[in-house]
Amino acid sequence: MANVLFLVGSLRNGSFNHQMAQKAEELLKEKATVTYLDYSQVPVFNQDLETSVHPAIAAARKAVEEADAIWIFSPVYNYGIPGPVKNVLDWLSRALDLSNPKGPSILQDKLITVSAVANGGHEPLFAAYHALLPFIRTQVVGEFTGSPINPEAWGTGQLVLSEETTAQLTKQAADLLAAIQ
């Protein structure tokens, strides 16, 4: 069974992107094992912290190493990638052998796809991921899925995905599983 690592771009409990991730997890049920990357203790990137490897970085690398693919669920922060997500990707994209900065990272050739919940701004966010992910030598899989936030969610805290978004997520899950095979 495939192992898919979810990276939820909002650390907020009950975030809309976490709710979308839970829907994707349901879609992968019995087809893949899903784990969530805990990057809450990853420090701000600083080359001075690369030796010895910070425990939070070591744990993140281990989670990535064990995964067949990564699925990022990203909010849109000022039309771009959230700082904490960019930070963890910066750490993970660093060469494993520090004496060879152009050497492979733990992300080398890792399959990655992205989904986002936000009110508008998906296109600039997706463009940023489409620029970043190949640059850090990952393999982008499938079409990205974007969903608006249903208006009542601001009061209820409950994201409701449209049938169209659910269909897009279903296709995205299928594309990711096919790429793993």
Side-chain angles (χ1 to χ4, degrees), residues 23-39:
K23 178 62 178 178
E25 184 175 1
E26 289 174 22
L27 296 171
L28 292 171
K29 190 174 183 175
E30 298 181 18
K31 299 173 190 160
T33 301
V34 171
T35 55
Y36 287 78
L37 180 63
D38 177 5
Y39 61 98

Side-chain angles (χ1 to χ4, degrees), residues 46-180:
N46 177 343
Q47 281 183 293
D48 292 339
L49 300 177
E50 284 189 294
T51 58
S52 65
V53 178
H54 189 281
I57 302 306
R61 284 181 177 167
K62 184 176 187 315
V64 169
E65 180 179 31
E66 293 172 352
D68 296 307
I70 299 169
W71 194 335
I72 299 171
F73 297 87
S74 181
V76 178
Y77 289 179
N78 297 320
Y79 291 98
I81 298 170
V85 174
K86 178 66 168 65
N87 183 59
V88 75
L89 291 173
D90 287 345
W91 273 109
L92 294 170
S93 69
R94 299 292 288 175
L96 294 169
D97 177 0
L98 295 178
S99 69
N100 179 9
K102 293 187 179 194
S105 74
I106 200 69
L107 289 175
Q108 186 76 39
D109 298 320
K110 194 62 72 170
L111 302 171
I112 296 187
T113 194
V114 177
S115 296
V117 177
N119 279 335
H122 293 111
E123 293 79 16
L125 174 72
F126 290 164
Y129 277 112
H130 276 295
L132 174 66
L133 296 174
F135 181 79
I136 60 175
R137 299 180 276 177
T138 66
Q139 295 182 34
V140 176
V141 176
E143 296 293 320
F144 295 172
T145 299
S147 175
I149 300 167
N150 48 300
E152 64 277 6
W154 297 110
T156 65
Q158 297 301 309
L159 177 69
V160 177
L161 298 175
S162 69
E163 288 181 22
E164 179 184 349
T165 299
T166 301
Q168 290 171 340
L169 275 179
T170 301
K171 181 175 180 343
Q172 192 173 13
D175 290 346
L176 192 61
L177 290 171
I180 292 169

